[in-house]
Amino acid sequence: MPLIALTGGIASGKSTIASRLAEHGAVVVDADAIVRDVQAPGSRVLAEIAEEFGPEVLAADGALDRAALATIVFGDAAALQRLNGIVHPAVRAESQRRFEAARRERSDAVVVYDVPLLVEARVDDPWDEIVVAHAPADVRRERLQRLRGMSAAEAERRIRSQVDDDARLAIADVVIDTGGDLAETLAQTDELWRRLTA
């Protein structure tokens, strides 16, 4: 069962690639969904976040107020490191549980871990391949403005808050160039699938 890490910067087309691989039959484990699950109301992780950053990071219904937390940690490397120290171990444990469940269910499954923060958190895990979705920063900036309604300054801030493209490209076994049109991205993804399942 190949275990593939799929990463890429914000608005790089990573979700498009993950969806296409799922259409082909891959089991996609979504790191962002796991983060939401481990931070659910009543969870140990959410309690630790509130203890570390204060009750203002909780919404009235007891859920995490992501905007309030983002205001605290974006641009503050020490605060972000404290947050990651709480969240990353829980995400690692839950993702591993899901990988093992996929393996039990289908021994021949191709498991794809869709993980934005691979460089930051899990680059040394035993991946069979690391796939990087890559589009130039100016293309991603334009997508954030057009598709997500961000201002130019906000798009730039979000891109700069992540590791740079060179760091992601340096760990890649496979790069899918997502700077062109959708058909080109899908064709490259289809070729990756053919190779993984040959």
Side-chain angles (χ1 to χ4, degrees):
M1 180 197 81
L3 182 57
I4 309 302
L6 170 63
T7 194
I10 189 169
S12 65
K14 182 172 56 61
S15 297
T16 298
I17 295 167
S19 294
R20 184 64 159 200
L21 292 171
E23 287 173 17
H24 283 302
V27 176
V28 176
V29 176
D30 183 338
D32 286 340
I34 292 174
V35 169
R36 288 189 294 275
D37 290 349
V38 302
Q39 294 175 348
S43 68
R44 177 187 55 80
V45 169
L46 184 58
E48 288 181 26
I49 291 172
E51 184 177 324
E52 179 66 35
F53 297 102
E56 62 271 18
V57 301
L58 296 178
D61 65 357
L64 180 64
D65 184 335
R66 295 180 194 286
L69 182 60
T71 300
I72 295 169
V73 302
F74 271 124
D76 183 338
L80 183 59
Q81 187 171 11
R82 294 196 313 274
L83 176 63
N84 289 343
I86 296 168
V87 176
H88 286 176
V91 171
R92 179 183 293 271
E94 178 58 18
S95 63
Q96 193 60 42
R97 188 193 69 73
R98 294 184 191 193
F99 299 159
E100 290 167 4
R103 188 174 289 127
R104 282 193 303 274
E105 192 171 310
R106 281 181 32 214
S107 61
D108 65 339
V110 174
V111 178
V112 177
Y113 189 40
D114 178 349
V115 55
L117 302 181
L118 182 69
V119 173
E120 297 89 333
R122 300 201 57 180
V123 72
D124 294 323
D125 282 19
W127 311 111
D128 291 302
E129 289 197 19
I130 295 174
V131 177
V132 173
H134 176 70
D138 61 328
V139 171
R140 293 187 287 125
R141 196 176 299 112
E142 184 275 331
R143 287 175 181 167
L144 288 171
Q145 293 175 250
R146 178 171 46 87
L147 300 175
R148 301 193 195 180
M150 290 185 187
S151 68
E154 174 64 8
E156 183 65 25
R157 189 171 73 84
R158 293 294 296 272
I159 288 171
R160 287 186 181 275
S161 73
Q162 297 184 328
V163 299
D164 65 29
D165 291 341
D166 290 342
R168 272 190 294 271
L169 293 171
I171 64 165
D173 297 306
V174 176
V175 176
I176 295 183
D177 178 356
T178 60
D181 64 25
L182 178 61
E184 292 170 333
T185 297
L186 296 179
Q188 293 171 78
T189 306
D190 293 346
E191 179 55 36
L192 170 65
W193 179 258
R194 280 191 290 273
R195 193 171 55 73
L196 290 173
T197 56

